[in-house]
Amino acid sequence: MIESDLKKTNNHMNTQLNNETVLNTTLALCGGKPVLSKEELKNARLWPIYGEEEIAGAIEVMQRPADKIYGEMQTFEQELCAYFGSKYALSTNTGTAALNTAAFAIGLQKGDEVIVPSYTYWATTLLTQTVGAVPVFVDCESHTANLDPALIEAKITSRTKAISVVHLWGMPADMDGIMSLAKKYNLRVIEDCSHAHGAEYRGKKIGTIGDIGCFSLQNSKLMPAMEGGFLLTNNRDYHARSVAFGHYGRVPEDHEMHRFNATSFGNKYRIHPISCKLGRLALKKLDARNKVICDHVEKIKNSIRGLKGITLFEVPSHISRVYYQFEICYDESLTGVKKGKIIQALVAEGAWVGNERYPIQHQQNIYKEDSLWSAPVKVPDHLPVTESIHSQILELPIFAFCEEKVVDQYIAAFHKVWSQLSELKS
Ligand SMILES: *Cc1c(COP(=O)(O)O)cnc(C)c1O
């Protein structure tokens, strides 16, 4: 979808509804009139949008003389350093490549243990595979769904070398707790920031607190560039090792890693030049887009807080979060209405609500086959908090490109459904 098409669909919307007029009217699931139309539904979920500027940018890169195409990378990396306040940046072809690179850069070796969360995309935990290290799963905090520092210490052994932490859905993890453990036990910290472009923790950009911050530029992310990624670090050695790992020909001359400049370590992780251009444009628009999303999401949160069975991930005052995804928890035992039924009822009203789509990691087969690992992964039978949150998740749109009216209609849909929960009990 491009911007000019969006304006057309926004202009077609004329439904105006507020909470009061729909409360206690027949649920759409029971044959009543839906709160939202199909068109409005579509707009709420739109992401990403590449506009005229992105299209012109892509064409401009293609039309360059061959020797000018890759200059884009250095420019992008300088802009990343400036925005994030980082000494070094390295663009990569995916976020996964950035994470695998980080595992090598910090010097992880065969048999080393890395503390990881279970509720995340697999690249946070499987960066261990790159270097023959082993993941050690730790449960999460119920109020953020992120790695719980209070549970990490019990899992630290003489082999523990690092913590790989995700900032799930854009909510920063407890970096004070994590960094103080890292200091105490001399551990490196890799931040997986693929959900958290632009988020801040005590005034510092996420991705600059640990040793290396890794980001994805994949199409669904808050900096969409089709595919791509980058990493940030303030450490000269980590930067040089990162370049040497997957970027032959770019290893800094004044670093001993330069001896591998002609080959890399068997990987080629260079970003696509068009993605690089799209990444630059996404960076330019990041803060403004994050603000629109936050305003819309916070409005909904403020309007549905207190509905029976709903729990929100509340944002602590020292955190400025972003929303890669907008997730809330719904506890069916508090209402007697099954989660599946609530989703059906909201969807019937035209409000898209989904189940969380990430499977949790400690339940996946890859961790169970000892032959794949330098030492068997000690997979926990249960991570109770992770499993409980995972079972309660409802995903809502992030409302990045829609009018506030649609946000209001979503709120109305929730209140309409909650005004007649008794209709939905089985
Ligand atoms: C998207 C994502 C990645 C991987 O990024 P790709 O660019 O898709 O390789 C890593 N971690 C998390 C948490 C992600 O969401």
Side-chain angles (χ1 to χ4, degrees):
M1 179 101 171
I2 62 167
E3 272 160 337
S4 47
D5 295 338
L6 173 70
K7 293 202 186 89
K8 276 181 236 151
T9 59
N10 270 342
N11 287 340
H12 281 148
M13 302 187 328
N14 49 21
T15 354
Q16 191 76 54
L17 276 168
N18 61 46
N19 279 348
E20 301 305 314
T21 59
V22 296
L23 287 186
N24 298 309
T25 58
T26 311
L27 293 174
L29 194 62
C30 307
K33 184 172 177 297
V35 177
L36 291 100
S37 76
K38 284 224 170 64
E39 215 50 70
E40 291 156 347
L41 171 74
K42 242 183 4 206
N43 283 355
R45 294 191 69 198
L46 272 182
W47 187 271
I49 288 184
Y50 296 112
E52 311 302 339
E53 203 180 354
E54 285 78 9
I55 293 166
I59 293 171
E60 186 272 319
V61 172
M62 283 187 275
Q63 288 173 332
R64 284 185 200 177
D67 64 342
K68 293 282 190 303
I69 287 175
Y70 291 114
E72 203 65 26
M73 283 190 307
Q74 278 79 2
T75 314
F76 184 37
E77 289 163 9
Q78 281 160 12
E79 290 169 352
L80 289 169
C81 287
Y83 175 84
F84 286 94
S86 175
K87 217 161 179 179
Y88 304 97
L90 178 66
S91 50
T92 56
N93 58 351
T94 61
T96 303
L99 286 160
N100 291 344
T101 300
F104 172 84
I106 62 171
L108 284 178
Q109 292 184 356
K110 215 167 159 183
D112 287 349
E113 292 179 357
V114 182
I115 302 286
V116 297
S118 174
Y119 204 172
T120 183
Y121 179 76
W122 53 259
T124 319
T125 56
L126 286 180
L127 57 80
T128 46
Q129 274 281 340
T130 307
V131 287
V134 181
V136 175
F137 290 103
V138 170
D139 209 350
C140 67
E141 304 170 322
S142 57
H143 59 290
T144 63
N146 281 317
L147 207 48
D148 186 346
L151 303 176
I152 291 178
E153 203 155 10
K155 297 290 180 77
I156 293 177
T157 71
S158 58
R159 318 199 86 163
T160 312
K161 294 291 155 53
I163 301 173
S164 177
V165 57
V166 72
H167 306 289
L168 200 65
W169 308 311
M171 172 77 97
D174 177 357
M175 292 308 287
D176 284 348
I178 287 168
M179 294 312 290
S180 82
L181 284 170
K183 197 164 170 210
K184 184 169 171 191
Y185 293 97
N186 189 28
L187 311 176
R188 306 281 80 75
V189 175
I190 297 172
E191 290 180 74
D192 184 347
C193 314
S194 299
H195 294 183
H197 311 68
E200 289 179 6
Y201 186 90
R202 297 198 192 285
K204 276 187 109 173
K205 286 267 185 285
I206 281 302
T208 62
I209 301 167
D211 292 279
I212 303 187
C214 301
F215 295 74
S216 170
L217 298 172
Q218 184 270 337
N219 213 35
S220 71
K221 305 297 159 81
L222 288 170
M223 278 178 63
M226 293 284 178
E227 292 283 357
F230 61 91
L231 62 82
L232 306 173
T233 183
N234 287 323
N235 183 302
R236 176 173 173 267
D237 290 326
Y238 297 162
H239 171 253
R241 287 175 62 82
S242 296
V243 180
F245 190 59
H247 304 257
Y248 75 95
R250 290 194 66 196
V251 188
E253 269 175 44
D254 59 353
H255 196 277
E256 46 106 8
M257 275 284 136
H258 188 72
R259 70 189 192 278
F260 301 115
N261 193 44
T263 53
S264 84
F265 279 75
N267 308 300
K268 186 181 161 195
Y269 287 166
R270 183 196 292 158
I271 192 171
H272 192 294
I274 293 178
S275 289
C276 196
K277 182 77 186 187
L278 296 176
R280 290 186 58 202
L281 293 168
L283 179 63
K284 201 172 79 174
K285 297 175 183 183
L286 178 64
D287 285 341
R289 285 177 169 177
N290 273 341
K291 182 169 184 335
V292 171
I293 295 169
C294 277
D295 287 351
H296 286 166
V297 169
E298 297 294 340
K299 184 170 189 187
I300 294 195
K301 284 171 82 174
N302 289 333
S303 311
I304 64 172
R305 182 177 285 114
L307 288 181
K308 209 173 192 179
I310 295 282
T311 322
L312 304 174
F313 295 102
E314 302 291 358
V315 189
S317 59
H318 63 285
I319 279 176
S320 162
R321 71 161 292 177
V322 294
Y323 291 90
Y324 164 58
Q325 281 180 213
F326 175 19
E327 312 281 339
I328 62 175
C329 285
Y330 171 71
D331 182 349
E332 57 189 30
S333 72
L334 298 177
T335 61
V337 178
K338 293 259 178 261
K339 187 173 111 171
K341 196 77 180 199
I342 282 283
I343 293 178
Q344 270 181 9
L346 287 164
V347 168
E349 296 300 338
W352 181 85
V353 174
N355 254 312
E356 162 62 20
R357 64 193 160 88
Y358 282 151
I360 37 190
Q361 288 300 308
H362 68 283
Q363 298 172 342
Q364 303 311 308
N365 289 328
I366 186 146
Y367 306 103
K368 294 177 192 153
E369 296 192 21
D370 292 352
S371 65
L372 299 173
W373 301 92
S374 58
V377 181
K378 288 171 240 148
V379 182
D381 290 336
H382 286 293
L383 295 176
V385 183
T386 300
E387 288 164 31
S388 161
I389 293 180
H390 190 255
S391 71
Q392 293 187 9
I393 284 295
L394 295 179
E395 183 188 346
L396 277 75
I398 57 168
F399 308 93
F401 295 106
C402 70
E403 296 183 335
E404 190 147 349
K405 195 162 73 181
V406 179
V407 173
D408 293 337
Q409 286 168 322
Y410 259 76
I411 293 168
F414 267 82
H415 283 273
K416 180 178 171 187
V417 168
W418 257 259
S419 72
Q420 325 169 46
L421 285 181
S422 55
E423 299 285 315
L424 301 170
K425 286 186 186 162
S426 46

